[in-house]
Amino acid sequence: MLPSILFALAAATTPLVSGSPTPTRSSGTSIRLNGRSLFPDDATDDDIKTKLASLGGNLRDKYSAYGSGDSTSGSAERRGIGENKLINQNADTSYFGTIAVGTPATSFNVILDTGSADLWVASKNCITGCGNVPTFDSSASSTFKNLSTPFTIKYGSGGAAGSLGTDSVQMAGFGVAGQTLGVVTQVTQKLLQNPVSGLMGLAFSTLSTSRSMPFWQTLASTNAWNEPLMAFHLTRFSGVSGASKLEVGGSFDMGFTNTSLYSGDISFVDIPNGSESFWQIPLTQISVQGNNLTAASTILAVIDTGTTLVGGPAQSIAAIYSNIPGAQQAGAGYEGYWQYPCDTQVDVAFKFGDGPSWPIDPADFQLATIGGGICIGALFELDLSGSSSPDWIIGDTFLKNVYSVFRYNPASVGFASLSSTALSVASVDAPLPSASIGTASVVSGAEPTRLWVPTLSVVFALAFGLLSALS
């Protein structure tokens, strides 16, 4: 575990840490993203308890430990224009996009997860948990190569397993040949929900269980992008009346920042030197109902698009809710969660490095209603074990409120205020984007050549848990 986190109530802001300069902006390739209530109107108290337990448990296992090691990569070819449209599912619980795998290329929807680093898709030969989703037929791809190496992903409510292979992968007009991916043949029931067939990890290669270079990192490190960065704009549909299971949701930009989606400057905070694994940056202050909770020591927060909620140490979470009138720990079945009166407007904001404070919309803080005018908050207790485990996990509850940028070099995360254009994107039942394979040519690349021998510290439990929490 990193140094223990103690947030103390303070009257003034503590000394700040220097941030990184704002990068120049240029044109590039944009991917469109696409939410309703996390819990349906007819959800019972037991339904809510079960789903919240899954969200919390899966996140604990995802970040319980991780490894490090050498990486290898495919090769990439630059393409200056192109767009691959994406979709969001179930009231802001997951944001997924389209990739194309193989020759000829076949499109698949995958969760976009900055909290992990591996790409995997369901195999045509899947025997459990893949019956209702599109699957990958590796035998139909002339460029697929079986590495005959087992591949396993573990998470709180089950697991997924298969083998590793390499193949051509395309996304938004960019192509990588020899991309390592897991071809999964066993998946826990309800982990994959149609139309999602897998997951694309967008963290650094040091987190990869397959010891391969992630798709995005190959592109960034080989100058395939105009700028070595990627960015997200995520819309809000949770609690919106009439919203459908799938709604237009935002954008994933590769190689540029979309100036129409944010206002002002992007405030960047550097990842500490040597910590390029998760996208983790210093969390320096949390304000709640006008009171500032400042960090008593250096702590790191992982910025994770593959997580719905915000998790932190129990003592810090208790300090936050102690400033919310009427808040208290939730009862049996809601372990780790706190409740508060639904008619209380909760104002919470996070400050990273020496940047500004970024508020969470009260609608995003209100996770669920459990009756009697009582609501469950979206910040929950997440005490992780392991010397290398992160302290805080900042998910979509926060990220829906900013334009977020993940920069490869210098390694940093940036935030900017959403523009009026970005805020106007969410429209109930707007036409959904269709899958796009694109036209990027893919050049030959190198397959992984190093045999991975796990050490005692290499036990990274990868999961995107959000899907397993949905019925």
Side-chain angles (χ1 to χ4, degrees), residues 257-327:
T257 55
N258 189 336
T259 57
S260 71
L261 295 177
Y262 65 92
S263 60
D265 294 327
I266 300 173
S267 176
F268 279 94
V269 179
D270 288 340
I271 296 175
N273 187 37
S275 298
E276 297 86 352
S277 53
F278 298 114
W279 293 96
Q280 51 190 342
I281 54 177
L283 173 59
T284 52
Q285 179 179 281
I286 299 174
S287 64
V288 52
Q289 307 300 79
N291 297 313
N292 293 333
L293 306 175
T294 58
S297 60
T298 300
I299 62 172
L300 297 177
V302 173
I303 312 302
D304 183 359
T305 60
T307 290
T308 304
L309 309 179
V310 173
Q315 188 171 359
S316 297
I317 296 297
I320 291 171
Y321 283 98
S322 70
N323 287 276
I324 300 174

Side-chain angles (χ1 to χ4, degrees), residues 105-322:
T106 303
S107 63
F108 296 99
N109 290 320
V110 292
I111 298 294
L112 300 179
D113 181 18
T114 59
S116 66
D118 287 282
L119 169 63
W120 64 272
V121 293
S123 168
K124 179 184 177 182
N125 299 319
C126 186
I127 58 177
T128 57
C130 309
N132 64 336
V133 302
T135 56
F136 174 51
D137 182 2
S138 59
S139 66
S141 173
S142 62
T143 48
F144 178 80
K145 183 171 183 178
N146 187 352
L147 297 180
S148 300
T149 302
F151 176 70
T152 301
I153 297 176
K154 297 179 180 179
Y155 45 92
S157 59
S163 61
L164 292 175
T166 63
D167 210 337
S168 297
V169 175
Q170 299 177 42
M171 187 181 202
F174 295 99
V176 174
Q179 176 65 50
T180 301
L181 71 159
V183 183
V184 172
T185 55
Q186 298 180 65
V187 184
T188 299
Q189 295 294 333
K190 296 185 179 181
L191 173 61
L192 294 179
Q193 294 194 24
N194 190 49
V196 175
S197 297
L199 178 144
M200 173 176 274
L202 298 173
F204 291 86
S205 60
T206 49
L207 287 184
S208 173
T209 60
S210 62
R211 288 299 177 269
S212 60
M213 185 75 75
F215 179 86
W216 78 271
Q217 195 169 349
T218 295
L219 298 173
S221 63
T222 57
N223 298 317
W225 290 342
N226 286 352
E227 294 182 81
L229 52 76
M230 52 193 174
F232 283 89
H233 159 230
L234 307 177
T235 59
R236 176 186 302 109
F237 277 94
S238 179
V240 175
S241 177
S244 301
K245 180 178 180 179
L246 302 178
E247 291 284 358
V248 173
S251 66
F252 174 49
D253 304 318
M254 302 171 67
F256 80 115
T257 55
N258 189 336
T259 57
S260 71
L261 295 177
Y262 65 92
S263 60
D265 294 327
I266 300 173
S267 176
F268 279 94
V269 179
D270 288 340
I271 296 175
N273 187 37
S275 298
E276 297 86 352
S277 53
F278 298 114
W279 293 96
Q280 51 190 342
I281 54 177
L283 173 59
T284 52
Q285 179 179 281
I286 299 174
S287 64
V288 52
Q289 307 300 79
N291 297 313
N292 293 333
L293 306 175
T294 58
S297 60
T298 300
I299 62 172
L300 297 177
V302 173
I303 312 302
D304 183 359
T305 60
T307 290
T308 304
L309 309 179
V310 173
Q315 188 171 359
S316 297
I317 296 297
I320 291 171
Y321 283 98
S322 70

